[in-house]
Amino acid sequence: MISAADSKYDLPLYPRLQPASRHDAVSLVMSTIEFKQRFTLGTVDKMLLDAAHDAESIYLLLEHQGMEPFIDLNIRSKKNSASKTASDIQISPKGIPICPKGKEMKPNGTDRKLHRRKWRCSPDCSCSTAKFGRTYYTKTSDDPRLFPKTPRDSEKLKLIYKRRTSIERSNKREKVDYKLESGRHRSTLVWYMRIYGIMICQHVDAWYVSQKDEWDKLKSTVCPSAV
């Protein structure tokens, strides 16, 4: 399910039934392509996903579709890597540059126009003779997974990513409140009819709540005895 995470009503947008054996990342590829083709009422500028979708190809796909990915980092290895640099600097599994002395460098500003982040080693580190310590730059274009446009340790990312719980609330409305799984259907078509009917109810609920004061005022005007 693709839902509107920035909606205070946790509204669903696009459901896609997938085989249980299919990996979540593969399911996402199919869903986003179909959604991009069919959803023409507006634009989507951010996609919030869990660690199951943490793959560089997913980042590249979403950026190609004009969306900025916000994906929880799935740390696969505890070893630092030098494959993303052309120097003696290594990169930790969390995307933090490591100086030749094995110390983590500290963030020292962001160039948002170039999507480039500056890192600096402490002046007392002997890895460089620079007066203010050695500096190093990471670019989103080098590795969108490790160096996303919005830094992982920023408050902005934490604030945006908190909205991912919206999909859980939306799923709860469908499965629990509207009893999606109570149906004993075998047909994919019937399952789609059921889920779309539930989604319509969710949107009607949100429409009513957002205009409840107007409806109450209209009811008191037209039928004052019913209030």
Side-chain angles (χ1 to χ4, degrees):
M1 176 68 76
I2 295 177
S3 70
D6 62 344
S7 166
K8 63 180 181 179
Y9 301 110
D10 307 313
L11 293 176
L13 296 178
Y14 184 68
R16 180 64 155 83
L17 296 178
Q18 307 278 359
S21 59
R22 181 175 291 161
H23 192 278
D24 286 353
V26 179
S27 300
L28 174 76
V29 172
M30 299 185 64
S31 295
T32 55
I33 292 175
E34 293 176 353
F35 179 73
K36 189 75 173 178
Q37 293 172 343
R38 299 174 184 180
F39 186 78
T40 58
L41 298 177
T43 58
V44 178
D45 59 355
K46 299 179 182 66
M47 180 71 78
L48 316 182
L49 301 165
D50 61 22
H53 304 87
D54 181 31
E56 187 173 358
S57 56
I58 297 295
Y59 285 83
L60 295 175
L61 171 66
L62 295 178
E63 289 184 355
H64 175 72
Q65 294 176 337
M67 294 180 276
E68 181 181 358
F70 287 76
I71 306 175
D72 198 16
L73 189 63
N74 181 10
I75 301 178
R76 307 178 182 87
S77 172
K78 295 182 179 179
K79 295 181 179 180
N80 299 330
S81 171
S83 61
K84 296 294 181 181
T85 69
S87 66
D88 53 358
I89 297 292
Q90 294 187 329
I91 303 297
S92 77
K94 294 183 178 181
I96 301 174
I98 308 295
C99 80
K101 295 297 182 181
K103 295 183 178 181
E104 289 189 352
M105 303 181 80
K106 305 298 182 184
N108 193 243
T110 302
D111 186 338
R112 303 191 183 281
K113 184 176 293 186
L114 297 177
H115 303 302
R116 186 177 72 166
R117 198 174 188 194
K118 183 179 180 181
W119 302 81
R120 190 186 295 278
C121 211
S122 60
D124 59 351
C125 182
S126 59
C127 71
S128 172
T129 58
K131 183 178 180 181
F132 297 103
R134 184 171 181 174
T135 59
Y136 184 76
Y137 293 90
T138 56
K139 299 179 182 178
T140 300
S141 57
D142 291 339
D143 190 327
R145 175 180 171 270
L146 289 178
F147 316 129
K149 293 179 180 179
T150 304
R152 293 188 183 279
D153 58 354
S154 66
E155 290 300 321
K156 179 182 178 181
L157 184 140
K158 295 175 183 177
L159 184 63
I160 292 174
Y161 194 73
K162 283 171 61 177
R163 291 297 307 166
R164 203 187 71 80
T165 56
S166 171
I167 186 63
E168 303 300 337
R169 291 188 291 272
S170 180
N171 288 344
K172 180 262 180 185
R173 287 282 288 159
E174 294 148 13
K175 293 182 178 181
V176 179
D177 298 348
Y178 282 105
K179 303 184 183 302
L180 169 64
E181 296 176 331
S182 294
R184 302 301 180 188
H185 317 303
R186 299 180 64 87
S187 167
T188 300
L189 176 61
V190 177
W191 276 115
Y192 269 121
M193 292 174 63
R194 188 179 183 91
I195 185 62
Y196 270 103
I198 290 174
M199 288 171 59
I200 291 173
C201 291
Q202 288 177 266
H203 281 259
V204 170
D205 288 344
W207 180 40
Y208 173 76
V209 171
S210 66
Q211 301 184 37
K212 186 176 185 303
D213 292 340
E214 288 81 356
W215 283 110
D216 289 344
K217 183 177 180 180
L218 178 63
K219 185 167 65 174
S220 63
T221 301
V222 177
C223 303
S225 60
V227 178

